[in-house]
Amino acid sequence: MGTRRATAEKQRPARDPSAIFERNEVRETFRISYLANSLVLPAYDEISREYSLSRGEYLLLFCLAHMPKLTAQDVANMTGRPRNSISRAVHRMLREGYVDRTPDPEDRRQAMLQITARGLKLHRRIVTKFIAREDALLSVLDAQERAALDSILKKLVLHTATLAV
Amino acid sequence: MGTRRATAEKQRPARDPSAIFERNEVRETFRISYLANSLVLPAYDEISREYSLSRGEYLLLFCLAHMPKLTAQDVANMTGRPRNSISRAVHRMLREGYVDRTPDPEDRRQAMLQITARGLKLHRRIVTKFIAREDALLSVLDAQERAALDSILKKLVLHTATLAV
DNA sequence: ATACTATTGTTCCATTTGGAACAGTATGGT
DNA sequence: ACCATACTGTTCCAAATGGAACAATAGTAT
């Protein structure tokens, strides 16, 4: 790793990549974005390689693993992704047998989605990746800090819903 | 809005989109991801419509607005995006005159990137969108909570760097 | 009843995206 | 001096992505 260390040594503070975290007008936005990527992208990478599922496809599985019945629109609301992405994901997951769909007789525009046993099994295997990553990240916080973070994030998420898009 | 209210009333808790925030194995991950999207996507949407800049392109501008000189690789490190995306963004921003590039005589593989006056002006106009959104979100927190969030996020970001990808 | 508006899920299309392979340059060991 | 290894920025290609328009269905108002 000689090269790498040499490069790092040459690196003046003016180019230190971590400096930008302190040096910008929207520090919390930048940090939250960065953390989100760091929490989520490595796992999605593995999921794509190991199971050939796209981000949107696993997101659908994830939602259905925790909510017994959802419409495609519900999933779009939860994840903030556009409906066409969900639609594509639903078709793929139906083909793979991870998800079931039954038309809603009370509103024939929509259909109720449900996870299958097979889908739930897959989710349980996959979600460990995210758990491990989250644990690793949060391990740097003490109990008090964790509690504070938890309550603050809860508040923020709740508040977000009231903001106009 | 009659229809919307009717739909909302029909909605059983089993389908309440906000329920999933409490009901999953990686609550903080899910919340942080959601917040990141909520903070950033609406602004990127406007930026794309108003200035025809893609996310990666503005991210480059943002980095250079706060760091006097960077290589493409530096930007990749800061943003977590792959190098080819940065490369594309650099070419586009060079053409538009938002960014300058000068080859590094000490290492002829790389080139130093700098923002132009024109680029900085554009950034100043654009960044207000992110500031407004961040302010709106954080307005729900009191001073103590803000301080706590700030210090916790700082700690987490620092710690992330030590985690293997 | 009938028009008008809203909502759901879908298809189409253009853009964005990221991985892989590449040439050029630099570094370290022999 | 030479070879192996590593790093930078680039191009190519396949896949993912999101907006717009659409048909089918539902709700609202006259």
Side-chain angles (χ1 to χ4, degrees):
Chain A
M1 289 293 104
T3 303
R4 176 163 240 153
R5 287 193 60 250
T7 306
E9 279 157 19
K10 235 193 318 189
Q11 189 126 318
R12 287 133 288 175
R15 279 182 53 208
D16 174 11
S18 69
I20 198 169
F21 285 111
E22 301 297 325
R23 215 188 285 175
N24 75 79
E25 309 90 341
V26 282
R27 286 209 294 274
E28 312 306 358
T29 299
F30 195 81
R31 284 169 174 158
I32 291 174
S33 276
Y34 187 86
L35 285 176
N37 285 340
S38 158
L39 276 168
V40 137
L41 293 187
Y44 281 129
D45 239 49
E46 289 179 45
I47 294 168
S48 156
R49 274 197 308 275
E50 295 171 23
Y51 304 99
S52 309
L53 291 185
S54 76
R55 181 171 180 158
E57 284 157 4
Y58 177 63
L59 223 36
L60 171 65
L61 200 65
F62 182 87
C63 288
L64 290 174
H66 302 100
M67 308 289 288
K69 277 178 176 215
L70 294 172
T71 68
Q73 179 64 52
D74 292 334
V75 178
N77 290 142
M78 288 180 189
T79 61
R81 311 265 150 219
R83 284 187 318 235
N84 57 1
S85 295
I86 310 294
S87 174
R88 267 187 306 249
V90 167
H91 285 286
R92 170 84 196 287
M93 299 307 262
L94 282 172
R95 274 206 314 279
E96 305 284 345
Y98 295 131
V99 161
D100 259 352
R101 177 165 67 169
T102 52
D104 180 352
E106 293 180 16
D107 184 339
R108 283 159 57 212
R109 290 171 303 181
Q110 65 190 18
M112 287 304 182
L113 304 170
Q114 258 181 298
I115 198 168
T116 62
R118 182 169 143 76
L120 195 56
K121 209 170 135 193
L122 179 63
H123 161 73
R124 294 227 170 91
R125 235 179 317 146
I126 290 181
V127 77
T128 58
K129 296 182 194 297
F130 291 99
I131 294 174
R133 188 79 180 172
E134 180 174 301
D135 285 349
L137 181 70
L138 297 185
S139 72
V140 78
L141 303 180
D142 62 40
Q144 217 174 11
E145 288 169 324
R146 281 201 200 210
L149 180 66
D150 192 75
S151 101
I152 291 172
L153 289 183
K154 193 169 172 176
K155 211 163 175 176
L156 289 178
V157 163
L158 217 63
H159 183 56
T160 298
T162 74
L163 297 178
V165 182
Chain B
M1 288 292 108
T3 303
R4 176 162 241 155
R5 289 195 56 250
T7 306
E9 279 158 20
K10 235 193 314 190
Q11 190 125 315
R12 287 135 288 175
R15 280 181 54 207
D16 174 10
S18 70
I20 198 168
F21 284 111
E22 301 297 325
R23 216 187 284 175
N24 74 78
E25 309 89 342
V26 282
R27 286 209 295 273
E28 311 308 358
T29 300
F30 195 80
R31 284 170 175 157
I32 291 174
S33 276
Y34 187 86
L35 285 176
N37 285 339
S38 158
L39 276 169
V40 137
L41 293 187
Y44 280 129
D45 239 49
E46 287 180 46
I47 294 169
S48 156
R49 273 197 308 275
E50 294 172 23
Y51 305 98
S52 310
L53 291 185
S54 76
R55 180 171 182 160
E57 284 157 3
Y58 177 63
L59 224 35
L60 170 66
L61 199 67
F62 181 88
C63 288
L64 289 173
H66 302 100
M67 309 289 289
K69 278 176 177 219
L70 293 174
T71 67
Q73 180 64 53
D74 292 334
V75 179
N77 290 141
M78 289 180 187
T79 61
R81 312 264 149 218
R83 280 177 324 195
N84 57 1
S85 295
I86 310 294
S87 174
R88 267 187 307 248
V90 168
H91 285 286
R92 171 84 195 286
M93 300 306 262
L94 283 172
R95 273 206 315 279
E96 306 283 344
Y98 295 131
V99 161
D100 259 351
R101 177 165 66 171
T102 52
D104 180 353
E106 293 180 18
D107 185 339
R108 285 159 57 212
R109 290 171 303 181
Q110 65 190 16
M112 288 304 182
L113 304 170
Q114 257 181 299
I115 198 168
T116 62
R118 181 169 143 76
L120 194 56
K121 208 170 134 194
L122 178 63
H123 161 73
R124 293 228 172 91
R125 237 180 315 148
I126 290 181
V127 77
T128 58
K129 296 181 193 300
F130 291 99
I131 294 175
R133 188 77 179 175
E134 180 174 301
D135 285 348
L137 181 70
L138 297 185
S139 72
V140 77
L141 302 181
D142 61 39
Q144 216 174 12
E145 288 169 325
R146 280 202 202 209
L149 180 65
D150 191 74
S151 100
I152 291 173
L153 289 183
K154 193 169 172 176
K155 212 164 176 175
L156 290 178
V157 163
L158 217 63
H159 183 55
T160 298
T162 74
L163 297 179
V165 182

